[in-house]
Amino acid sequence: MKKRIIGIDVARALAVIGMIIVNFKVVFGANGGGVLKGFAQVLEGKAAAMFVVLAGIGLALMTNTALKNQDSIKIKKARQRIFKRAMLLFVIGLSYISIWPADILHFYGVYMLIALWFIRKKPNFILLGVLGIIVLFPILLLLIDYETAWNFPTLSYADFWTIKGFFRNLFFNGFHPVIPWAAFMLFGLWYGKQDLHNHQFLKKSLWGALLIFILTQITSAILLQTLGKGDPVVLDELILVLGTSPMPPMPLYMINGISISIFIISGCILLSKKYENNTIIGALNKTGQLALTFYVAHVVLGMGLVEVFGPLELGNYSIQFSLFYALAFSLFCILFAVIWLDYKKAGPLEWIFRKLTN
């Protein structure tokens, strides 16, 4: 039996911490500027992308042995478990979307249903699926106005609770639309089907992903500079198409998100192997195992405390407050995970989740 890959949980912890930083900045505010604001902006769209890629890897690790052994009974059980988890995440996400419109969990559930169809497919077919979903988004953009129903200054969506609006938001122009965000999970599924105990594969993934990330950034910058010709109005329009920001999620952003995710995940696996007994690695490993608990807690508890007891209205805080509060909350999560898993085998929500879906 192969040893558990603790680097996956370490990467998951980093993804959750990154999402906490980004989401607290969006909710509390980012008044001021400088290096701190730039640091928070770098994480936008990347931490959430890595969170989804890691989910795809998790699905692969759940099913690899059964698929390799052609064990139809175990494959069927795994598929049923994935289906139940997808539906439960969908419901959990929608249950508090009124207080957290940027929820990713209900999208996450649909990504899982799509990945479920790809579980038994060959790796090359999965990569074709990744490419197809990424390319499909700009095609849809030619047919549907991306700004439909959005009030971007307030980040509110006019007809979310109508059938048409709900599916438009879910599949096309929500915060993490299924097309093309499901490609992140499919790429994770592909990556998870590789030999993640193979040092050479991990090193190639690490440096290959970094190279692709850098080339994507350079390509975006050159295209914007060349085609923008110094015109601010033209440049603003081009950034939406050729930039690497998550809204709208154009192909360069998707490549950017996949490459930086694989770079960090590969690095985490390699470092965790080398420094398995390191205190920080151990703490992050435990934090990653409680990712679902901390994702929900950062909305309900982390944002809720400031909304109830904070001196300012949400959106009016400084970038310094948002960032340092995010780091303090993340530290609390790490300490909680270390203490909790000394006494329990799973996080609070993870335990409930498994009871309901196993």
Side-chain angles (χ1 to χ4, degrees):
M1 184 178 177
K2 288 185 175 179
K3 196 174 181 181
R4 180 183 175 89
I5 306 170
I6 64 173
I8 299 294
D9 284 318
V10 171
R12 192 173 284 115
L14 296 180
V16 170
I17 291 169
M19 291 171 74
I20 290 171
I21 292 170
V22 170
N23 294 340
F24 280 8
K25 179 184 79 73
V26 170
V27 172
F28 299 139
N31 293 330
V35 176
L36 293 181
K37 193 168 186 177
F39 168 71
Q41 285 175 336
V42 165
L43 297 174
E44 285 184 5
K46 298 179 181 68
M50 186 164 77
F51 195 56
V52 179
V53 171
L54 284 161
I57 295 171
L59 295 183
L61 296 178
M62 277 177 65
T63 54
N64 279 346
T65 302
L67 289 169
K68 185 179 179 181
N69 296 334
Q70 294 289 301
D71 190 328
S72 58
I73 295 174
K74 286 187 177 179
I75 292 171
K76 184 179 179 181
K77 284 183 178 179
R79 289 173 66 89
Q80 289 174 341
R81 191 178 304 123
I82 292 167
F83 179 80
K84 289 178 184 177
R85 291 183 179 183
M87 297 308 296
L88 185 56
L89 284 171
F90 187 77
V91 171
I92 291 172
L94 286 182
S95 68
Y96 64 78
I97 205 161
S98 59
I99 62 170
W100 180 229
D103 169 69
I104 196 174
L105 296 182
H106 71 287
F107 291 104
Y108 204 92
V110 181
Y111 309 153
M112 287 177 71
L113 293 178
I114 292 172
L116 187 59
W117 187 80
F118 282 87
I119 286 287
R120 303 187 73 161
K121 305 298 182 185
K122 299 290 184 183
N124 287 345
F125 186 86
I126 296 172
L127 288 180
L128 280 175
V130 171
L131 181 62
I133 293 173
I134 290 174
V135 170
L136 182 57
F137 180 77
I139 295 172
L140 288 177
L141 208 59
L142 297 173
L143 305 173
I144 310 170
D145 181 4
Y146 182 75
E147 296 185 6
T148 301
W150 270 114
N151 182 336
F152 284 110
T154 61
L155 291 179
S156 58
Y157 200 85
D159 60 353
F160 183 86
W161 292 113
T162 67
I163 294 175
K164 185 178 179 181
F166 181 81
F167 282 99
R168 186 198 316 113
N169 182 283
L170 181 65
F171 285 95
F172 174 65
N173 71 345
F175 281 101
H176 315 96
V178 172
I179 300 168
W181 271 68
F184 287 132
M185 189 167 287
L186 290 186
F187 196 89
L189 182 67
W190 174 84
Y191 182 84
K193 287 179 176 288
Q194 312 309 306
D195 184 1
L196 301 186
H197 296 272
N198 185 316
H199 191 79
Q200 287 303 115
F201 170 76
L202 292 169
K203 284 183 68 177
K204 286 180 181 178
S205 297
L206 179 81
W207 298 117
L210 179 61
L211 178 61
I212 292 170
F213 176 75
I214 293 170
L215 288 175
T216 306
Q217 294 289 109
I218 293 172
T219 300
S220 176
I222 290 174
L223 288 172
L224 289 173
Q225 187 174 8
T226 304
L227 301 175
K229 298 177 181 178
D231 186 329
V233 177
V234 174
L235 190 61
D236 284 345
E237 292 294 324
L238 286 172
I239 285 172
L240 295 175
V241 179
L242 301 172
T244 56
S245 61
M247 292 181 80
M250 296 297 282
L252 284 179
Y253 162 69
M254 295 299 297
I255 296 168
N256 193 266
I258 288 171
S259 57
I260 195 62
S261 297
I262 296 301
F263 171 71
I264 295 172
I265 294 166
S266 300
C268 285
I269 295 173
L270 288 167
L271 283 173
S272 299
K273 279 185 174 183
K274 189 173 182 179
Y275 302 105
E276 185 175 349
N277 297 318
N278 179 276
T279 303
I280 295 174
I281 294 292
L284 290 174
N285 174 33
K286 290 182 177 181
T287 304
Q289 293 176 46
L290 272 67
L292 178 61
T293 292
F294 294 142
Y295 179 81
V296 174
H298 97 281
V299 174
V300 178
L301 183 61
M303 296 178 190
L305 285 174
V306 174
E307 185 173 15
V308 173
F309 299 108
L312 303 176
E313 287 188 18
L314 297 184
N316 293 323
Y317 288 88
S318 68
I319 183 62
Q320 288 85 355
F321 172 84
S322 297
L323 183 57
F324 285 112
Y325 180 57
L327 294 176
F329 189 83
S330 298
L331 180 59
F332 165 78
C333 291
I334 293 169
L335 292 173
F336 180 89
V338 170
I339 295 169
W340 182 272
L341 289 180
D342 278 345
Y343 299 94
K344 305 288 183 179
K345 292 183 179 179
L349 286 187
E350 284 76 10
W351 181 82
I352 295 170
F353 198 69
R354 289 174 190 172
K355 284 290 182 182
L356 292 175
T357 60
N358 282 344

